[in-house]
Structure formats: structure tokens, C-alpha cells
């Protein structure tokens, strides 16, 4: 795994795109602070850049770098959630401008996956994580379902967990600073 992390790190540092296994589905990733890399993700996915992307962070310490005010209920959700959960926060900061939604929010997940955790810790920065498909196409449930267009469009494919079958993407909850909680995807 260490060799795969090193290769992925090198690609991320160079502004490239990686295809990598996450705690949910295979993801297309890049440095979440690099606007040019984020633009490459939108281009590869053929996705309108007004549709926000999810990013991953290693832990709540790293989360604090990218969200001005984390609602207290977020920490409760981390403690009780057994399934992967992405939270949309208000007032994103220190990320690529084209990654942040028009309302200044950002979707972030702390993955429960050893490879992702080690990669994030060593990169010491948020990484984009969007499903490995062209926009509008089905989300691949396994590595073998990823299209050739996506495979050829990234700079590095992580050589781990190619046999893993993914059940579903994460749940998504929006936690507004005014206390409103909204379920986006269950």
C-alpha cells in the first residue's frame, strides 16, 4: 500500500488526477486546493462546474482548515454514524474557488478507509472525491465497471482493491450554521 500512496501523492502534488478506491465508490480525485486540477475533474466528468464536488479530509482537525464554523451536531454525527456520511457545511475556506458552491458551502467526508486515511494524512490537504463516471452515467459499483474514458482521463490509477464491490455512495446531509439540518441523499 505504501508504494501506491507514494505514486498517488506524487500525482496529486503535480496537479494530476487519480482514480482511487474510497470508503464508498471508486473516485476521481485531485488536490482540492488546486483550481486547475479541479477544472480537469469537471472536464473529465463532462460536468457543469456549478455542480459542487465532494472532498475528503483525514479527520476533524483537517476539517477545521476548510470550514469556518463546524456546527456542534457534526461531531455527534461522526460519533454515531456507522455508514459513510458526507456533510455539506456553510462558509468553506482555503479550497479551490471552483470547488466551493455558489452559496459558499462545501461537501466534505471523513472516510473510514485505511488507504484514504493514510493518503490524506501524508498529503496533509483535502482531496476531491467524485464518482468515477461521466456525468449522467451510472456510478460504477466496481473497478471493472469504470469506463475507458475515465481510466484514460486520469494520470494515475491506484492499484488496490480492484476486486471490491461498492454498495452505494455516502449519505449526504446539509448542516447550516443557523441550525437547519437537511437530508440531501439518504
Amino acid at each position: 500500500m505504501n508504494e501506491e500512496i507514494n505514486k498517488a501523492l506524487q500525482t496529486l502534488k503535480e496537479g494530476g488526477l487519480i482514480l482511487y478506491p474510497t470508503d464508498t465508490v471508486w473516485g476521481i480525485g485531485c488536490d482540492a486546493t488546486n483550481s486547475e486540477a479541479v477544472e480537469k475533474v469537471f472536464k473529465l466528468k463532462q460536468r457543469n462546474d456549478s455542480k459542487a464536488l465532494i472532498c475528503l479530509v483525514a479527520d476533524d482537525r483537517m476539517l477545521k482548515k476548510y470550514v469556518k464554523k463546524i456546527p456542534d451536531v457534526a461531531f455527534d454525527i461522526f460519533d454515531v454514524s456507522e455508514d459513510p456520511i458526507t456533510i455539506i457545511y456553510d462558509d468553506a475556506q482555503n479550497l479551490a474557488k471552483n470547488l466551493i458552491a455558489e452559496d459558499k458551502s462545501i461537501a466534505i467526508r471523513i472516510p473510514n478507509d485505511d488507504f484514504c486515511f493514510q493518503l490524506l494524512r501524508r498529503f496533509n490537504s483535502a482531496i476531491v472525491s467524485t464518482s468515477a463516471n461521466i456525468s449522467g452515467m451510472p456510478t460504477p459499483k466496481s473497478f471493472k465497471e469504470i469506463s475507458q474514458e475515465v481510466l484514460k482521463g486520469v494520470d494515475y490509477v491506484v492499484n488496490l482493491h480492484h476486486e471490491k464491490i461498492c454498495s452505494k455512495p455516502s449519505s449526504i446531509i446539509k448542516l447550516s450554521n443557523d441550525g437547519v439540518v437537511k437530508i440531501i441523499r439518504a
Side-chain angles (χ1 to χ4, degrees), residues 107-146:
I108 299 179
R109 185 169 76 253
I110 299 173
N112 183 13
D113 175 86
D114 192 45
F115 171 77
C116 288
F117 178 75
Q118 298 296 333
L119 179 64
L120 287 157
R121 287 306 292 257
R122 290 192 42 205
F123 190 53
N124 198 30
S125 186
I127 298 173
V128 166
S129 180
T130 183
S131 57
N133 61 313
I134 303 301
S135 192
M137 300 301 289
T139 300
K141 294 190 179 353
S142 67
F143 179 80
K144 67 181 180 187
E145 292 180 14
I146 298 170

Side-chain angles (χ1 to χ4, degrees), residues 8-184:
L9 281 171
Q10 187 63 37
T11 303
L12 292 168
K13 289 175 183 174
E14 293 171 355
L17 304 186
I18 62 171
L19 181 65
Y20 67 117
T22 73
D23 57 330
T24 57
V25 298
W26 274 81
I28 299 169
C30 70
D31 177 350
T33 66
N34 181 330
S35 294
E36 290 176 11
V38 171
E39 183 57 39
K40 290 179 193 177
V41 173
F42 283 122
K43 188 174 180 182
L44 174 59
K45 285 190 64 88
Q46 300 170 25
R47 183 173 175 166
N48 183 325
D49 65 4
S50 67
K51 289 184 112 181
L53 301 171
I54 293 171
C55 58
L56 304 180
V57 297
D59 50 34
D60 55 357
R61 177 193 59 82
M62 190 181 286
L63 176 64
K64 292 174 184 174
K65 286 172 40 178
Y66 304 110
V67 179
K68 286 181 185 168
K69 182 180 181 296
I70 302 167
D72 289 339
V73 71
F75 299 103
D76 296 333
I77 292 170
F78 299 152
D79 291 342
V80 301
S81 181
E82 294 178 16
D83 294 326
I85 190 155
T86 299
I87 299 177
I88 300 172
Y89 300 93
D90 290 339
D91 298 324
Q93 62 184 3
N94 303 318
L95 292 163
K97 295 217 182 308
N98 54 346
L99 184 60
I100 299 170
E102 288 179 11
D103 66 359
K104 306 288 187 243
S105 67
I106 187 67
I108 299 179
R109 185 169 76 253
I110 299 173
N112 183 13
D113 175 86
D114 192 45
F115 171 77
C116 288
F117 178 75
Q118 298 296 333
L119 179 64
L120 287 157
R121 287 306 292 257
R122 290 192 42 205
F123 190 53
N124 198 30
S125 186
I127 298 173
V128 166
S129 180
T130 183
S131 57
N133 61 313
I134 303 301
S135 192
M137 300 301 289
T139 300
K141 294 190 179 353
S142 67
F143 179 80
K144 67 181 180 187
E145 292 180 14
I146 298 170
S147 73
Q148 285 299 309
E149 191 171 358
V150 170
L151 289 167
K152 291 177 182 172
V154 298
D155 300 296
Y156 184 70
V157 177
V158 172
N159 192 20
L160 292 171
H161 309 302
H162 285 205
E163 69 294 335
K164 177 181 170 185
I165 305 294
C166 304
S167 55
K168 65 177 188 168
S170 68
S171 298
I172 301 176
I173 296 175
K174 181 165 180 29
L175 298 181
S176 299
N177 287 342
D178 62 6
V180 174
V181 177
K182 183 176 179 183
I183 296 173
I184 307 296

